[in-house]
Amino acid sequence: MTTSTPDRARTRFPGISSRAYEHPADRSALVALRSLSGFDVVLRRLSGLFNERALRLMFLGGTVRVGEQQFHHLNDMVRDACYILDLPEVPEVYVRQDPTPNAMALGADHPFIVINTGLLDLLDDEELRFVVGHEVGHILSGHAVYQTMMQILIQLGTRLAWLPLGNIAISAIIIGLKEWFRKAELSSDRAGLLAGQDLDAAKRTMMKLAGGVRLREMSSEAFLAQAREYDAAGDVRDGLLKFLNLLPQSHPYAVIRFAEIDRWAVDGEYERIMAGDYVRRDDDGSASFTDEMRNAANSYKESWERSSDPFIGKVRDVAEGAASAAGGLFDRISRRDNGPTNGSAG
């Protein structure tokens, strides 16, 4: 259980709901899944296909488990992040020998974190603290459960590769899930900032993921300008190419993550949570799927309006029309669920 205190005076967020920091598109999907009757049963049956016990034993036998006597500083970071974000159960953490700078949260009943040595070699302590908070955010949001589901579907798609139609159907679902998880990564970046409470460290992490350890040869201002250039680059054809390049990716590009975490901090959401104004876990049961879908649609709309991408400009009107139609549909559903209003037929 979480009983330790942070190594320095960081703000703690008792009872914080993951909805406080989740990207609207991620939050709406999570609220929808949590509200589906019987979904937990289906998910657990699917999880049975993905042997979590075998996976945990694989890491127990082939990696280093973090604890008081192994990677002690990393153990403290995980406990601190759980203390700050009020995650009751501190997850197990494993360090895996792999030069790829990556980390992930896996599992359903008791999610655990895997951190590659490539990240330990790349990041300083404050940057690593941001990554640890990012992974704890995945667990608090329940992303680890749904990521496990995506792994199941990927395996299933591989097995059905000889059936063209079956594989196409699974591939379409995976593409949709990856778009969701790209937004989930933005959510967890926010959790990482809340845990580490060091915006510069979060930004340095993105720069190192893109360009390695030579920070003296990089500039945060130039990197942010690069993100803006990427957003506005080229013509409609380039915008389409960017869209196609992103489809197979599980994470947004580093420049996009840099710009997103900078915007989230500058726009005031971060400071509001730091001041104690945030959604509590006790209120999660009253979360409205309809409201969250509207929030997601508004978030995409605001993103399109900020974007200078010519391709986005061409499709904006169509997308906004679809969002308006969806809003009307949600209004009708909401009225139906709430019963007839004054002046309506019974």
Side-chain angles (χ1 to χ4, degrees):
M1 299 297 292
T2 307
T3 56
S4 63
T5 57
D7 67 325
R8 66 172 172 83
R10 292 184 180 86
T11 300
R12 185 172 180 246
F13 309 105
I16 189 171
S17 167
S18 61
R19 292 186 295 126
Y21 60 78
E22 285 164 353
H23 186 281
D26 172 34
R27 188 169 64 240
S28 64
L30 290 171
V31 169
L33 288 175
R34 290 165 186 157
S35 65
L36 286 177
S37 176
F39 179 77
D40 286 345
V41 175
V42 173
L43 184 62
R44 299 224 173 259
R45 288 181 179 175
L46 278 173
S47 297
L49 301 175
F50 189 83
N51 195 323
E52 184 176 331
R53 293 174 66 90
L55 186 65
R56 191 181 300 273
L57 285 171
M58 181 182 73
F59 284 107
L60 185 64
T63 66
V64 176
R65 184 169 61 188
V66 170
E68 291 292 335
Q69 296 177 311
Q70 301 189 113
F71 292 98
H72 178 77
H73 73 295
L74 190 56
N75 185 61
D76 286 345
M77 287 181 189
V78 176
R79 295 180 68 84
D80 287 354
C82 293
Y83 178 85
I84 293 166
L85 296 176
D86 200 15
L87 185 69
E89 182 178 341
V90 178
E92 288 185 340
V93 182
Y94 295 92
V95 172
R96 176 172 61 179
Q97 169 55 34
D98 189 326
T100 306
N102 192 28
M104 55 186 171
L106 296 170
D109 294 323
H110 299 283
F112 58 94
I113 296 170
V114 179
I115 299 178
N116 288 357
T117 53
L119 266 184
L120 301 183
D121 296 336
L122 181 67
L123 305 179
D124 67 25
D125 279 353
E126 289 307 305
E127 296 155 6
L128 187 58
R129 190 180 298 277
F130 165 76
V131 169
V132 166
H134 174 107
E135 297 305 325
V136 169
H138 274 313
I139 292 174
L140 185 58
S141 287
H143 293 151
V145 178
Y146 305 123
Q147 188 169 23
T148 301
M149 181 175 66
M150 187 169 73
Q151 295 300 323
I152 295 168
L153 291 172
I154 289 173
Q155 289 185 6
L156 184 58
T158 302
R159 294 173 185 173
L160 295 178
W162 61 279
L163 287 173
L165 293 180
N167 193 43
I168 289 171
I170 294 293
S171 296
I173 295 172
I174 291 172
I175 287 172
L177 281 172
K178 283 185 176 179
E179 163 61 14
W180 171 13
F181 276 112
R182 286 192 291 270
K183 296 301 185 286
E185 290 300 323
L186 299 180
S187 298
S188 292
D189 283 345
R190 297 172 181 183
L193 178 57
L194 290 172
Q197 298 172 22
D198 187 336
L199 181 59
D200 288 337
K203 291 180 176 180
R204 291 198 309 269
T205 301
M206 304 309 173
M207 293 168 68
K208 284 186 173 182
L209 288 172
V213 298
R214 296 175 176 82
L215 283 175
R216 287 191 300 255
E217 300 184 40
M218 293 183 259
S219 159
S220 60
E221 292 80 8
F223 200 66
L224 183 58
Q226 182 181 333
R228 291 170 179 154
E229 181 180 346
Y230 171 81
D231 176 58
D235 53 19
V236 174
R237 179 183 57 182
D238 291 324
L240 177 59
L241 290 173
K242 286 189 291 185
F243 173 75
L244 294 175
N245 284 341
L246 193 60
L247 278 181
Q249 304 295 324
S250 61
H251 290 60
Y253 289 125
V255 292
I256 302 302
R257 294 173 68 184
F258 183 102
E260 283 285 335
I261 197 68
D262 178 74
R263 184 185 62 79
W264 190 67
V266 169
D267 282 357
E269 283 295 301
Y270 171 60
E271 290 299 330
R272 182 178 60 78
I273 296 174
M274 289 291 293
D277 181 11
Y278 55 84
V279 181
R280 262 60 176 186
R281 221 168 290 165
D282 290 343
D283 299 324
D284 282 349
S286 61
S288 165
F289 170 56
T290 302
D291 290 344
E292 296 300 350
M293 283 300 297
R294 283 202 193 94
N295 291 337
N298 288 335
S299 174
Y300 275 113
K301 183 173 183 249
E302 291 169 6
S303 177
W304 297 331
E305 289 172 347
R306 286 195 307 269
S307 178
S308 302
D309 189 321
F311 177 71
I312 294 295
K314 291 292 184 183
V315 302
R316 184 180 296 145
D317 291 342
V318 175
E320 287 180 354
S324 297
L329 174 62
F330 295 141
D331 284 337
R332 289 194 295 274
I333 292 173
S334 179
R335 286 196 297 269
R336 184 185 66 190
D337 289 344
N338 293 330
T341 57
N342 291 336
S344 64

